Amino acid sequence: MNKQAVSPMNEEFDVIVLGSGAAGMTCALTAATEGLSVVVLEKSRLVGGTSAMSGAGTWVPANHLAAAEGIADSPDEALAYYENALGPELGNRFRPLWKALADAAGPMLRLVEAETPLTFAITPEPDPIDVPGAKRRGRMVSPLALPRRHAGPFAKRLRRSTLPHLFTYHDMFSPNPWKRPVRTVLSMGPELLRRWLTNSGGQGSALMAGLIGGALARGVAIRPETTVRALTKAGGRVTGVTLADGRTIGARRGVLIATGGFEWDRDRYARHFPGQTDWLCTPDTNAGGGLALAEAAGAALDQMEEANVHPALPTRYEGRAHGMPVAWHVGPNGIIVNGQAQRFASEYDYNLGDHLNRRGADGQPLNLPAWVICDGRFLRQSRPFAWYALRAPGWVRKAPTLAALAGQIGLDPAALAATVARFNGHCAQNRDPDFHRGEPVWERFRSGNWKDGETNAALGGIADRGPYYAMPVNRSILGTKGGPRTDAEGRVLDTEGEAIGGLYAAGNAMANPIGTRAIGAGTTIGPHMTMGFICAKSMAARMGTPPATDPGPDPGSARDRTTHATTTAGSAGRRTDRKAIKA
């Protein structure tokens, strides 16, 4: 029987996913493996969201790849790391979510590898915070390079990045194109040519091509250029969505909001992030549409002052100034100071973004504006640096003396001179008693894994003679992390703390349980994917209409209808062939 003849909705699916990033696509893939019919609605003409632009470092505790290498880990150890790294204040609100994420991370990665052409590998990174529960290696993974053709009809619609996705995340550690571009090209020449000829990418390009390909093989319908105007409700439960053109789509099991952050909603962003912002590093579709839908449904918002904050280099994207998130601020012969010309953290601290985002009692930033102060040796460490610096004339300030430099950027000359002199004294002593720069496990890893008794590779004084340079290093935003509160199943909570039936949230569109203080390089992507997985499992377990065994063809474009039919018919065969594709 035609569903439209018996339903007030124009269409019905078991699950509607809003947003095509890592959280949304992992939910869609997982729900489809549970036998649910799924449609992904993406308002942009491009798919993949911020995740497609990312480095795709993916933090997954207690995963099977680490176990295969004999690295002991468990969900309980991961939960201890959450608790010790993030502290009791967040724990009082989010411990159930931390436990859910710790328990589900490993199963999520197993499912993604089994159901997509993706192959993940462990990176060399340790957990960056030295607390009980941390691991020296094994929790950070990232996908190997993958041809974009795995995204099927959406390969040409896969969002491109400002990052060089010809390289994988692993390549950034060795041979390291940022520090050793010539050596990288010489050592990787044939492989880079192969990737270019096959339109293969690493990092977020690989991640999203693989997730989209896996979802298509399971019959998920993906519809770009589809804007949701409102959620539909009946009996206090979310039952579907109304599109901008007035059509309705019903959701028998649930609607997932995975639409990214609100950083491009200038009014809302200004309310929650006063002070200087250097660059936004995300697509301008991250304008808070999902938050508005949740608010209209009665959701309680939280974590609105939290974001993924990281230094970025100036670049251009889609015709406008944009940021490319790179740790350009790290290296000897440079320091970071605030508006009082004082250092306020170790420059190598993985959570420098947390320090930049710190607020006073009045809600205003404590450490902004912030500046990198350095000599010419700092700039020469990375040859590509100059290329990006040219994208924003005036971004690099230069002066013959520290006093003149301080005058250019509005700092007290005497205070800046005193701070530089103090830092140089620490370098001469091979130790930074103020902020222990280079001493923790993460900072040793970042500076070359030097050992006790050796020269601290993170330290290096600023020259006695100019020229001197200054670059702003204020907040650059890789995505805000505020949104509707959820329970441990991903169900959106109302202002009374009760779950709103049929409504879920994941990724940067939810009140993120980790916030600005990251517990690993991949604690955006990894937990986002895991929360998408958790939401799908919750929807599959909920009582209601049994899942459809055949959702029927996607009634979108003619091309999409053909693709859906072909993909569904051949999905079993393609799943059998995936390991051969990986090999």
Side-chain angles (χ1 to χ4, degrees):
M1 181 180 294
N2 188 323
K3 293 177 184 175
Q4 292 184 354
V6 297
S7 170
M9 298 290 184
N10 295 114
E11 297 179 78
E12 275 195 316
F13 291 81
D14 293 312
V15 176
I16 299 173
V17 174
L18 308 184
S20 62
M25 290 310 305
T26 303
C27 177
L29 172 68
T30 305
T33 66
E34 294 285 337
L36 304 182
S37 59
V38 186
V39 62
V40 176
L41 307 180
E42 168 59 62
K43 72 177 181 180
S44 172
R45 66 180 183 85
L46 303 175
V47 297
T50 307
S51 303
M53 299 180 69
S54 75
T58 309
W59 192 79
V60 185
N63 67 74
H64 64 284
L65 302 176
E69 292 194 20
I71 300 172
D73 196 5
S74 69
D76 286 344
E77 290 175 280
L79 179 58
Y81 182 57
Y82 273 109
E83 292 174 331
N84 292 313
L86 296 175
E89 190 277 327
L90 277 184
N92 291 336
R93 291 166 29 222
F94 294 115
R95 188 181 187 279
L97 277 78
W98 295 346
K99 185 178 188 323
L101 290 169
D103 289 341
M108 177 279 294
L109 189 65
R110 278 190 178 276
L111 180 139
V112 167
E113 276 213 328
E115 291 289 337
T116 74
L118 287 163
T119 299
F120 288 82
I122 296 173
T123 79
E125 296 157 283
D127 286 337
I129 303 175
D130 291 350
V131 293
K135 291 291 178 180
R136 294 294 182 97
R137 185 172 173 270
R139 289 175 174 168
M140 272 295 298
V141 302
S142 190
L144 303 182
L146 194 70
R148 292 177 177 86
R149 61 178 169 78
H150 284 286
F154 301 100
K156 292 184 178 180
R157 289 195 177 213
L158 190 63
R159 184 173 288 281
R160 295 286 179 151
S161 177
T162 57
L163 295 168
H165 278 187
L166 192 63
F167 299 99
T168 67
Y169 190 89
H170 304 85
D171 296 335
M172 294 301 170
F173 296 102
S174 179
N176 192 340
W178 292 112
K179 296 286 187 182
R180 296 181 288 273
V182 176
R183 183 188 304 179
T184 298
V185 171
L186 291 176
S187 63
M188 292 189 65
E191 172 61 16
L192 294 177
L193 179 62
R194 184 194 68 80
R195 291 179 191 173
W196 182 74
L197 291 173
T198 58
N199 192 24
S200 296
Q203 305 181 65
S205 293
L207 177 67
M208 295 315 303
L211 286 175
I212 289 169
L216 289 173
R218 279 286 185 174
V220 172
I222 303 173
R223 300 182 189 170
E225 299 182 274
T226 304
T227 299
V228 173
R229 185 177 70 200
L231 300 173
T232 59
K233 294 183 75 174
R237 176 183 177 83
V238 171
T239 58
V241 300
T242 300
L243 304 183
D245 62 7
R247 291 184 298 122
T248 56
I249 304 177
R252 288 184 286 268
R253 296 298 182 93
V255 174
L256 174 72
I257 297 175
T259 51
F262 63 85
E263 58 272 12
W264 286 93
D265 178 343
R266 296 309 179 105
D267 291 339
R268 195 192 292 265
Y269 181 81
R271 290 200 302 273
H272 295 288
F273 292 88
Q276 288 83 346
T277 294
D278 284 342
W279 317 102
L280 299 182
C281 306
T282 61
D284 63 6
T285 48
N286 288 8
L291 274 67
L293 293 173
E295 280 185 296
L301 302 186
D302 196 2
Q303 297 285 80
M304 295 299 285
E305 294 182 351
E306 304 297 315
N308 188 355
V309 180
H310 195 280
L313 286 173
T315 188
R316 303 285 298 177
Y317 187 73
E318 295 184 331
R320 63 174 176 270
H322 205 81
M324 183 177 69
V326 175
W328 63 270
H329 63 289
V330 172
N333 317 119
I335 58 174
I336 298 176
V337 301
N338 58 21
Q340 291 73 50
Q342 301 294 322
R343 293 177 68 215
F344 53 88
S346 167
E347 291 79 1
Y348 280 68
D349 190 334
Y350 182 76
N351 274 298
L352 178 66
D354 189 34
H355 295 284
L356 294 171
N357 197 46
R358 196 155 293 172
R359 319 293 178 86
D362 60 356
Q364 295 300 308
L366 290 172
N367 293 314
L368 302 182
W371 300 88
V372 168
I373 306 295
C374 65
D375 61 33
R377 292 171 296 176
F378 179 94
L379 299 185
R380 290 190 291 271
Q381 290 178 86
S382 175
R383 292 175 186 171
F385 177 89
W387 169 255
Y388 288 98
L390 292 173
R391 303 296 182 92
W395 183 66
V396 177
R397 320 292 173 84
K398 179 181 178 181
T401 66
L402 283 174
L405 188 68
Q408 282 192 36
I409 60 178
L411 299 183
D412 179 271
L416 180 60
T419 296
V420 169
R422 182 176 178 84
F423 175 72
N424 283 348
H426 296 337
C427 294
Q429 298 170 8
N430 200 41
R431 183 172 177 271
D432 173 19
D434 291 341
F435 301 104
H436 304 283
R437 173 165 155 171
E439 296 173 23
V441 170
W442 168 263
E443 298 191 22
R444 290 187 186 228
F445 168 78
R446 178 172 270 183
S447 60
N449 291 313
W450 60 278
K451 306 294 190 298
D452 287 339
E454 299 176 351
T455 299
N456 184 335
L459 296 179
I462 296 175
D464 294 333
R465 294 183 178 181
Y468 299 101
Y469 301 86
M471 291 81 69
V473 61
N474 302 302
R475 285 181 304 223
S476 288
I477 303 296
L478 283 67
T480 56
K481 289 190 169 186
R485 288 286 302 273
T486 72
D487 64 11
E489 294 182 47
R491 298 181 299 170
V492 171
L493 304 178
D494 64 18
T495 54
E496 301 299 320
E498 298 296 324
I500 300 172
L503 186 60
Y504 293 76
N508 281 347
M510 69 183 290
N512 193 279
I514 298 175
T516 304
R517 185 173 175 77
I519 58 175
T523 50
T524 301
I525 295 290
H528 285 7
M529 293 174 66
T530 304
M531 186 52 71
F533 173 88
I534 289 169
C535 290
K537 291 290 188 179
S538 177
M539 291 185 214
R542 290 281 149 200
M543 295 295 292
T545 305
T549 55
D550 180 8
D554 176 6
S557 67
R559 183 188 69 178
D560 289 347
R561 287 197 296 273
T562 302
T563 300
H564 175 84
T566 304
T567 303
T568 303
S571 62
R574 263 190 296 281
R575 283 192 290 273
T576 302
D577 292 340
R578 278 193 186 118
K579 297 305 177 183
I581 291 172
K582 291 181 182 182

